[in-house]
Amino acid sequence: MKTIFLLMAQYEGHSIIPVERVCADYFAPMQFSTFIQKVNAGKIALPITRMDPSQKGPRGFHVADLAAYIDARREAAAKELAQITGR
């Protein structure tokens, strides 16, 4: 099953997922402020989507970007496992 479909089910069909929910669901127990710093520094490669250009506007991640990130992390883990086990 495709990751994007699972995420759409998890987030009830929403295309933009609030940054706070993604942090809590996928990056716990990382502090929210640390999570934002890592995203802004590019250490976590997820583009933040703003529906309103103001600084205080709501921020979120597009479900397709989150799915691509999860799939990329899975591929990296599989590659690492293959190197460790020699398979």
Side-chain angles (χ1 to χ4, degrees), residues 10 37 49 54 73 86-87:
Q10 178 180 353
Q37 287 174 349
T49 301
S54 73
R73 296 302 302 154
R87 293 184 203 176

Side-chain angles (χ1 to χ4, degrees), residues 3-17:
T3 306
I4 192 166
F5 296 126
L6 295 172
L7 288 172
M8 289 174 70
Q10 178 180 353
Y11 294 107
E12 300 169 347
H14 292 258
S15 59
I16 304 295
I17 305 148

